[in-house]
Amino acid sequence: MRSLGEAATVALSWRPMPTRHLALRHRHQIALAFALAVTWCSGQASSDTGGRSLNVGLVLEQVQLRDDLVRPFRFAGPSGGVSLGFAHVTAKAEHDAQFALGLAYLTNSFGQESFAFRIRGHYRYLRSLSSAPATMRVSLGVAARANWLPTYHADWDDAHLYWFTSYDVGPTAKVQWHSLGPGSLLLSLDLPIFALVSRPPRYRFNKQDELKSLGYWFAEPHSDLTLATLTHYKALGAGVTYVLHGTGRWRLAGSYTFDLRSYDRPVHVSTLAHSLTLEARRVW
């Protein structure tokens, strides 16, 4: 099959002749050039507004934790990790999934040290409110999120593991501007309305947890999962992402996300995370 340039050259290379003869003699070349042009333009539009993408990123975070099971101190510090995501966007719907794993180093005002795994993920399903592709796309849907924060307070209680685990569900919204400078801008908002939450017991009757077992760090934070509503569990997630468009299959994206969670059983606990992510995206 001829390329768009070749077809266009052939279609425009005839010598002047009456219009009806020109149309009849070169109708195949004209039709081919038109079809290739339409296909090429459609491909350009779909690469910016739809398709599939696989994302790999580096994550830097600032994490704050206040857990009254320890003491009413605020622990804060940096976290670093990696993320992996997948998205499938069509004219009407969008599927968005992501998983991130990081390690946080936290201290309080007295210099006491703590270490935590920062594990989180989400799946969002959204429906577009626009009837056709446009400069701005508004979508509404539902989001299911997972957040684990198993924490080892080395200087406060080196014998026990603490955690704040939640699996929450609620409405989500996204606004996207497809052509903003050399890329596109996305704003997202998550408002969970109920969750399954796990927390350590208020009183510990064992002297030592199995902290040397890696499996314990992932199994114990899922013990006694309890259904919680907005009465006891409150959360808010928001983000802004800018995606640089390219001529090939790769895209570069940078994002900032804000994540706040709090729960009052058995005593108050809250976390706040500010995240910066740099992603490479492979689209097709």
Side-chain angles (χ1 to χ4, degrees):
M1 182 179 289
R2 294 174 177 173
S3 67
L4 175 61
E6 292 173 346
T9 301
V10 172
L12 298 174
S13 62
W14 65 83
R15 281 182 282 178
M17 60 177 60
T19 303
R20 62 185 182 89
H21 295 293
L22 178 110
L24 290 174
R25 182 172 180 177
H26 298 284
R27 62 185 182 277
H28 298 296
Q29 291 90 337
I30 295 173
L32 177 61
F34 179 76
L36 289 175
V38 171
T39 302
W40 181 80
C41 292
S42 300
Q44 287 297 103
S46 64
S47 67
D48 291 342
T49 62
R52 298 176 177 89
S53 66
L54 183 65
N55 318 323
V56 178
L58 296 176
V59 184
L60 294 176
E61 298 183 298
Q62 203 278 338
V63 180
Q64 299 180 29
L65 167 66
R66 174 168 174 165
D67 187 349
D68 287 359
L69 283 176
V70 183
R71 281 189 70 177
F73 293 144
R74 182 178 67 91
F75 288 82
S79 173
V82 295
S83 66
L84 179 65
F86 173 79
H88 181 201
V89 182
T90 65
K92 291 293 186 180
E94 178 177 349
H95 302 267
D96 174 25
Q98 188 178 59
F99 173 79
L101 172 65
L103 180 64
Y105 170 71
L106 310 175
T107 59
N108 61 19
S109 57
F110 294 94
Q112 296 173 326
E113 296 180 324
S114 298
F115 302 89
F117 282 113
R118 170 97 166 121
I119 307 168
R120 56 191 173 89
H122 71 250
Y123 169 74
R124 298 188 182 103
Y125 175 74
L126 301 105
R127 298 289 297 182
S128 175
L129 301 183
S130 304
S131 58
T135 303
M136 185 178 72
R137 173 178 173 137
V138 180
S139 304
L140 297 177
V142 62
R145 311 187 311 165
N147 283 277
W148 311 350
L149 194 68
T151 307
Y152 174 62
H153 295 287
D155 290 335
W156 179 254
D157 182 1
D158 60 1
H160 298 101
L161 181 67
Y162 294 80
W163 63 86
F164 181 17
T165 302
S166 67
Y167 294 89
D168 57 41
V169 177
T172 184
K174 179 181 288 188
V175 181
Q176 179 177 4
W177 288 268
H178 296 304
S179 299
L180 193 64
S184 58
L185 180 68
L186 296 86
L187 303 179
S188 62
L189 180 67
D190 299 326
L191 294 170
I193 56 177
F194 66 89
L196 291 174
V197 184
S198 177
R199 289 278 289 133
R202 184 166 189 171
Y203 303 105
R204 303 292 186 95
F205 299 102
N206 62 317
K207 293 184 178 180
Q208 180 68 51
D209 286 343
E210 300 177 20
L211 298 177
K212 294 183 179 181
S213 171
L214 184 60
Y216 181 86
W217 283 68
F218 294 92
E220 191 64 14
H222 292 85
S223 60
D224 299 324
L225 285 168
T226 303
L227 180 63
T229 61
L230 293 174
T231 306
H232 301 289
Y233 176 82
K234 298 175 178 61
L236 172 66
V240 54
T241 301
Y242 190 79
V243 183
L244 286 173
H245 297 161
T247 56
R249 292 293 186 179
W250 289 97
R251 304 286 187 270
L252 187 65
S255 64
Y256 162 79
T257 57
F258 168 93
D259 181 63
L260 174 65
R261 295 182 300 140
S262 68
Y263 186 56
D264 61 3
R265 299 287 180 86
V267 293
H268 177 78
V269 61
S270 62
T271 63
L272 173 62
H274 302 274
S275 307
L276 294 176
T277 304
L278 182 63
E279 289 182 333
R281 299 187 173 187
R282 170 68 170 167
V283 299
W284 69 94

